[in-house]
Amino acid sequence: MTEEAAFVALENVSKRYETGEGTIAALEEIDLSVPEGGFVSLVGPSGCGKTTLLRLVAGLESPSSGRVRVGGDVVTGPDPDRGLVFQSTTLYPWRTVAENVRFGLEVTDTSATVAERRVERLLSMVGLADRTDAYPSELSGGMRTRVGIARALALDPEVLLLDEPFSDLDVATRESLQEDLLGIWHELGKTVVLVTHTVGEAVRLSDSVVVFDGHGAISTVVDVDLDRPRDFDTDRFDPYVSAIRNTIRDGRRNDQSTDRRFEQHTTNPKH
Amino acid sequence: MASRPSDRTDALSATRESITVAFEAVDRSSVMSGRVGRGLVGAAVFVAGWWSLASTVPSYLLPTPAAVLGAFVTELTTPATFAFGGVELKLTELSAVLLQSLLHYVPGLLLGVGLGAPLGIALGYSTRLDEYFTPAVGLLRPIPPLAWMGFVIAWVGIGHAGAAVIVAIGSFWITLLGAHDGVRELPTEWIEVGESLGVRDHRTMVRKVVIPGVAPSVFTAVRTSLGRSWMIIVAAELFGAPGLGYRIIHTAQSLAMDVSMAYMLTLGLAYLATDALFQVAREVVAP
């Protein structure tokens, strides 16, 4: 995927946090590029830095060193160019479905008629045209996630960033939302970066899967060479999933052996 | 001779069992079942207990419910004049006294909430402001409103204004902390989503996200203030500001215990009324 022009690009990016006990490296010298209109998933053990990477692209955090570029411009902060979707619980509970989707249009002073039309179109695209006046508390988790996606698309961002958006949902709802996300991606041609802890989801949806090790570095990037729509039960689907799972598991096994060595080392003085 | 522990335990559990059986019987009976029925039964048990206790002691120790009710009716019907700021109203004793307390209650609450809510939101939202103010807030907060009485008398004098300021101090801290903690507990994602959707300045963020988000916490704090302020009023009026609290103390000092208790009853009713009114108002504002 590096052959195509990079639209989202991380250039030698590191992110370190200062804590009371020293410096923690969340990301170590990451190079990554996503072509325009590409769909990339980030997977890896929890705490591996995949969410940190997404937050850097979103501009919610800034890198300790290196540069994040989107569409050629260096990212310096959050911007409506990059739509953000979290888990289903982040809708504004005092706003109705339509008002949530309208939020970005309101604060950017979009004219009321344009906003009205846009909200209508987005809500029918995510299948919620008949629930415009409902409050988030009246919706199922799947519906709330749909509203979250529509809200992120309201300002027509070039990049859609999703942080484990389906993790709260049951399997059936998740699969139908995955299909809808693919539909939206095809229709609107956005560049998508998805953080997920479900390897199957990553393989089903993305052009390529970025696998993190447990130490803030990328183990490997797997290009998924399968035609869409992809079924879970094809012969060619499973090998991708097992290969990625094995990479993650190997990373974890290495962690455990380092832990054991560390234990032996620290208990030695007693003898 | 003390009974053996096991006997005592048996007696205790037997008593507990009979009480449980009695309440279960009440629960089962069709007339008394449900919330209202249980409330009525509870109130009846309370009044019966009060009555039986009051009939064994002199009335200056505990007046009977009948005496209190009688005093309540007398105070409610005895004509009296309410005078404030050149306005004179022909009312009754009880309604005049209630109105006097409302002169402390309403302005005090408005002042306390009006200052506490915005300041609490500001401190909750701005980490830097919070750092500046945390020591002062921590130092001043535990001081009971009444401790300021000497200063309040020096600042605004004895009377309605002083009592209102004491009420204001009480509701100020409750609302400030409620708003502050409410803002602190807002999901960070709400702010981050706001930023990613084009909110560029603090003013818009506060107006569009923080204030609507923290409104439920502020409502809760105001509701707590409503109750706490009625409690503070009794103390605030001790220093010569006429009202319910003043009446409760002064009638008791002249051993008119039934009248004192009638005004205590009024205080309780006033709280229930303001709380109910607030709940209705809240439903209207934020359904």
Side-chain angles (χ1 to χ4, degrees):
Chain A
M1 67 186 200
T2 41
E3 293 150 27
E4 294 167 72
F7 190 70
V8 175
L10 283 87
E11 299 162 0
N12 201 27
V13 166
S14 296
K15 179 67 184 175
R16 290 176 287 271
Y17 295 100
E18 302 295 335
T19 70
E21 289 153 26
T23 307
I24 292 172
L27 290 174
E28 287 276 24
E29 293 172 359
I30 300 286
D31 284 297
L32 183 70
S33 57
V34 183
E36 183 159 15
F39 194 134
V40 167
S41 291
L42 314 177
V43 300
S46 52
C48 67
K50 54 188 194 286
T51 292
T52 305
L53 195 153
L54 194 84
R55 293 175 63 81
L56 288 169
V57 177
L60 295 171
E61 292 181 40
S62 44
S64 306
S65 62
R67 256 193 314 209
V68 181
R69 287 172 184 277
V70 172
D73 300 326
V74 174
V75 171
T76 53
D79 192 277
D81 261 3
R82 279 154 279 135
L84 201 54
V85 183
F86 288 109
Q87 286 177 14
S88 58
T89 49
T90 57
L91 296 178
Y92 297 130
W94 61 90
R95 288 177 161 252
T96 62
V97 166
E99 286 166 353
N100 263 286
V101 178
R102 199 183 297 132
F103 183 90
L105 299 159
E106 258 172 55
V107 298
T108 52
D109 295 326
T110 312
S111 84
T113 36
V114 174
E116 200 63 34
R117 224 177 306 127
R118 192 144 180 81
V119 168
E120 222 167 87
R121 206 172 73 83
L122 284 167
L123 282 176
S124 64
M125 190 168 78
V126 296
L128 284 170
D130 54 340
R131 301 304 302 271
T132 50
D133 294 328
Y135 284 92
S137 59
E138 299 163 336
L139 302 177
S140 68
M143 290 178 185
R144 282 200 286 261
T145 307
R146 289 170 196 275
V147 180
I149 293 171
R151 178 173 69 173
L153 290 169
L155 292 171
D156 200 19
E158 289 167 321
V159 184
L160 198 55
L161 304 168
L162 304 104
D163 188 6
E164 305 200 9
F166 309 141
S167 61
D168 289 346
L169 309 175
D170 61 79
V171 176
T173 312
R174 184 183 301 178
E175 282 179 17
S176 98
L177 269 163
Q178 288 169 353
E179 267 164 41
D180 292 349
L181 179 60
L182 280 179
I184 290 166
W185 176 61
H186 276 303
E187 191 183 328
L188 303 178
K190 309 286 181 199
T191 308
V192 178
V193 181
L194 168 78
V195 168
T196 175
H197 59 243
T198 317
V199 174
E201 179 170 287
V203 173
R204 185 175 185 212
L205 297 177
S206 357
D207 298 331
S208 53
V209 181
V210 179
V211 187
F212 282 79
D213 66 11
H215 308 285
I218 293 172
S219 317
T220 175
V221 177
V222 179
D223 291 339
V224 183
D225 186 19
L226 294 174
D227 292 334
R228 291 188 176 91
R230 297 166 182 163
D231 284 326
F232 286 112
D233 47 2
T234 58
D235 294 343
R236 297 189 55 214
F237 189 89
D238 284 340
Y240 280 107
V241 174
S242 9
I244 292 168
R245 284 214 180 111
N246 286 336
T247 313
I248 296 172
R249 200 173 302 131
D250 287 347
R252 214 176 283 151
R253 198 171 294 139
N254 289 339
D255 289 351
Q256 280 164 2
S257 54
T258 17
D259 286 348
R260 220 171 291 130
R261 276 202 305 278
F262 182 68
E263 263 167 46
Q264 282 168 1
H265 185 73
T266 49
T267 48
N268 264 343
K270 284 184 186 167
H271 296 293
Chain B
M1 186 67 211
S3 53
R4 292 204 319 274
S6 64
D7 286 352
R8 216 181 304 151
T9 320
D10 286 353
L12 265 178
S13 66
T15 312
R16 199 179 303 136
E17 196 153 303
S18 58
I19 290 172
T20 314
V21 167
F23 275 111
E24 275 173 1
V26 168
D27 262 1
R28 270 195 303 275
S29 74
S30 57
V31 187
M32 284 297 154
S33 69
R35 220 161 66 90
V36 176
R38 278 183 219 118
L40 285 175
V41 169
V45 168
F46 172 73
V47 171
W50 172 9
W51 211 312
S52 56
L53 192 64
S55 55
T56 60
V57 297
S59 66
Y60 67 86
L61 289 182
L62 186 64
T64 62
V68 172
L69 202 63
F72 185 83
V73 172
T74 308
E75 295 296 310
L76 195 64
T77 51
T78 309
T81 309
F82 170 82
F84 179 73
V87 183
E88 288 206 359
L89 293 174
K90 294 268 175 243
L91 296 170
T92 67
E93 283 289 343
L94 193 137
S95 54
V97 169
L98 186 61
L99 207 55
Q100 284 168 336
S101 275
L102 284 172
L103 278 179
H104 315 145
Y105 184 82
V106 175
L109 258 175
L110 290 178
L111 190 64
V113 170
L115 291 174
L119 196 58
I121 290 172
L123 295 186
Y125 183 68
S126 162
T127 311
R128 189 179 301 175
L129 264 188
D130 200 32
E131 284 166 359
Y132 278 121
F133 278 92
T134 294
V137 169
L139 204 65
L140 293 175
R141 192 188 65 175
I143 298 170
L146 207 63
W148 293 102
M149 187 49 101
F151 294 93
V152 170
I153 289 173
W155 293 335
V156 298
I158 298 174
H160 291 305
V165 170
I166 297 293
V167 170
I169 293 173
S171 47
F172 170 77
W173 288 118
I174 295 169
T175 320
L176 181 134
L177 290 173
H180 174 272
D181 294 354
V183 174
R184 279 296 149 105
E185 283 156 19
L186 292 181
T188 40
E189 289 93 344
W190 285 3
I191 305 288
E192 290 174 350
V193 165
E195 285 173 348
S196 82
L197 287 173
V199 176
R200 282 283 164 274
D201 55 310
H202 293 307
R203 224 182 89 96
T204 312
M205 188 65 85
V206 168
R207 201 164 49 89
K208 289 277 188 186
V209 179
V210 177
I211 289 177
V214 82
S217 306
V218 174
F219 276 131
T220 306
V222 172
R223 196 182 169 194
T224 309
S225 299
L226 288 176
R228 205 60 71 77
S229 295
W230 281 118
M231 294 181 202
I232 291 173
I233 265 186
V234 176
E237 290 173 353
L238 276 182
F239 294 83
L244 282 172
Y246 183 82
R247 273 299 170 94
I248 289 170
I249 300 298
H250 283 263
T251 48
Q253 279 170 353
S254 55
L255 294 187
M257 295 318 213
D258 47 354
V259 183
S260 181
M261 229 173 222
Y263 279 108
M264 286 163 72
L265 183 67
T266 311
L267 195 71
L269 291 173
Y271 165 68
L272 286 179
T274 42
D275 195 56
L277 259 177
F278 181 72
Q279 294 290 71
V280 171
R282 184 191 174 146
E283 279 300 310
V284 172
V285 174

